[in-house]
Amino acid sequence: MLAHVAQYAAFGGIAAAGFGVLFNFGRAALLWCAASGAMALAIRTVALNAGWNLEAASLVASAAVTACAVGLLRRQLGTAAPAVAVAGCIPMIPGAFFAQALLEMFELTRAHPVNPEALLVTSTISVLHVVFTLFAIGAGVSIPVHLLRGREF
C-alpha cells in the first residue's frame, strides 16, 4: 500500500507543479505546489483505500492541504498561500469520470444507440461524481481559508 500511495503522491506533485507553472508561480512556490499536490493525492489515496467515497476523500484532502498551506506558508508566500493550495488540489479533479460521461453522452447522440437508458444512467452518475467532487474540493479549499483568515480566530 505504501508504494501505491507514494506513486499517487509523486504524480500528484508533478501535476501540481505543472499547474504552478501555468499559474506563473516562482521557483520556491513551485516546490510548495509540488508538496501540496503530493500531500493531497496521498491523503485522498489513503482515504479511498480506507473505504471512503471519492467526494469525502477529496474534501478531507483539500481541507488538509489548504489548512497546511495557509497556516504554515502564509508568512513565506503571503497572499499566494491559498493559490498554492488550489494548485495542489487541481490534480484531484476526476477527469476519468468526466471523460466517461462525455463519451457515453456522445454515444447517446448516435442514430440508434444501444441500450440508451443504461447509457443515460451511467453518464449521469459519472457527471454527478464530477460535480460533487468539485464541490467537495471547493469547500475543502474555501473553509480553511476563511477560518484561518484573521488573527482573531
Side-chain angles (χ1 to χ4, degrees), residues 35-138:
S36 67
M39 181 180 172
L41 269 290
I43 292 171
R44 188 183 78 171
T45 303
V46 168
L48 288 173
N49 286 337
W52 294 25
N53 64 20
L54 179 64
E55 296 82 5
S58 298
L59 174 70
V60 169
S62 61
V65 166
T66 305
C68 288
V70 172
L72 300 174
L73 299 177
R74 183 173 296 232
R75 288 186 183 154
Q76 183 177 0
L77 297 176
T79 58
V84 166
V86 169
C89 291
I90 289 175
M92 290 193 299
I93 295 174
F97 280 121
F98 190 62
Q100 178 183 359
L102 283 178
L103 292 174
E104 289 171 348
M105 286 184 187
F106 288 146
E107 182 68 25
L108 282 171
T109 62
R110 289 184 32 186
H112 301 289
V114 177
N115 202 358
E117 294 84 9
L119 281 174
L120 183 62
V121 169
T122 57
S123 66
T124 303
I125 290 170
S126 296
V127 167
L128 288 174
H129 275 298
V130 172
V131 169
F132 288 135
T133 303
L134 288 175
F135 286 159
I137 292 171

